[in-house]
Amino acid sequence: AFLSSFILDSVCWEVVGVVKLWNEWCRTSSTTNVLPTDSFCLFYRLIADPTVLLCQCSCYVAEDQQFQWLEKVFGSMQKKGLQVTILSTCPVADYKTQESTLTLVSPFLKALKTKEFQEQVCCPLLEQPNIVRDLPAAVLSYCQVWQIPAVLYQCYTDVIKLDTVTIEAFKPLLSSKVLKSLAKDASESTKILKKFLTTSETHNNIYI
């Protein structure tokens, strides 16, 4: 939702690839539709600069599928000069701290980077003994092994469904070297964000 609201623009980006998955959490049988669904990872390329790629993963990638996913994606890229930025969210209950999580002001961002990433991060680094998991962790580990500069920005949130506060928690990243030149007009971003939230609220309604 953050990428769609603040970065993606149908005029500036084009869809160049898709990864289709099936597991217990992705039960689609469609093999022709390439629009965003719960079972696809879409890849966009910046028309003005084809070296800039964006992956929007809206599906669950199971543990036994992550290595294949990484091989498929990074196997088709030139690793020299590559830099990776990963955005992810997780429950604030997963954050380990000596303080009570009830006193934490959420959502908040934490960063974890590979040894080769030399740029300044946009938020505090993730402290020990915290860990990251799932596909974001797999991507970061892959980049560490292949000596690719990469940084993971993890948003800890106390809400389950999409909301404005959680999405806008990523806004400090718009000042980063990588995303600064990709940011859209603020007024346009606000309109798209409201549209996303309206759609999310409709899907999350419970009828009794």
Side-chain angles (χ1 to χ4, degrees), residues 10-64:
S10 59
V11 179
C12 301
W13 298 82
E14 59 179 347
V15 178
V16 293
V18 58
V19 176
K20 301 180 182 181
L21 298 169
W22 191 98
N23 54 53
E24 287 76 7
W25 294 85
C26 303
R27 295 182 179 277
T28 182
S29 58
S30 173
T31 57
T32 57
N33 186 15
V34 295
L35 295 176
T37 71
D38 289 340
S39 301
F40 293 154
C41 296
L42 276 179
F43 293 87
Y44 298 86
R45 179 171 59 196
L46 187 62
I47 297 175
D49 184 359
T51 64
V52 179
L53 294 174
L54 188 151
C55 171
Q56 198 169 34
C57 186
S58 58
C59 62
Y60 173 74
V61 183
E63 287 79 2
D64 59 345

Side-chain angles (χ1 to χ4, degrees), residues 84 86 112-119 139-152:
V84 178
I86 311 157
L112 195 60
K113 61 189 182 73
T114 63
K115 183 180 179 181
E116 288 71 24
F117 188 85
Q118 300 299 325
E119 295 180 15
V139 174
L140 195 66
S141 298
Y142 184 94
C143 292
Q144 177 68 30
V145 171
W146 286 94
Q147 300 180 338
I148 299 171
V151 58
L152 164 64

Side-chain angles (χ1 to χ4, degrees), residues 125-180:
L125 293 174
L126 186 64
E127 310 92 337
Q128 295 182 350
N130 286 286
I131 61 172
V132 294
R133 53 172 60 102
D134 299 326
L135 187 60
V139 174
L140 195 66
S141 298
Y142 184 94
C143 292
Q144 177 68 30
V145 171
W146 286 94
Q147 300 180 338
I148 299 171
V151 58
L152 164 64
Y153 290 106
Q154 182 116 291
C155 177
Y156 290 89
T157 178
D158 58 358
V159 298
I160 298 176
K161 67 177 184 178
L162 203 62
D163 71 334
T164 308
V165 180
T166 300
I167 297 171
E168 291 187 337
F170 287 102
K171 286 181 73 173
L173 307 187
L174 296 176
S175 62
S176 67
K177 182 179 178 180
V178 173
L179 298 182
K180 183 186 297 183

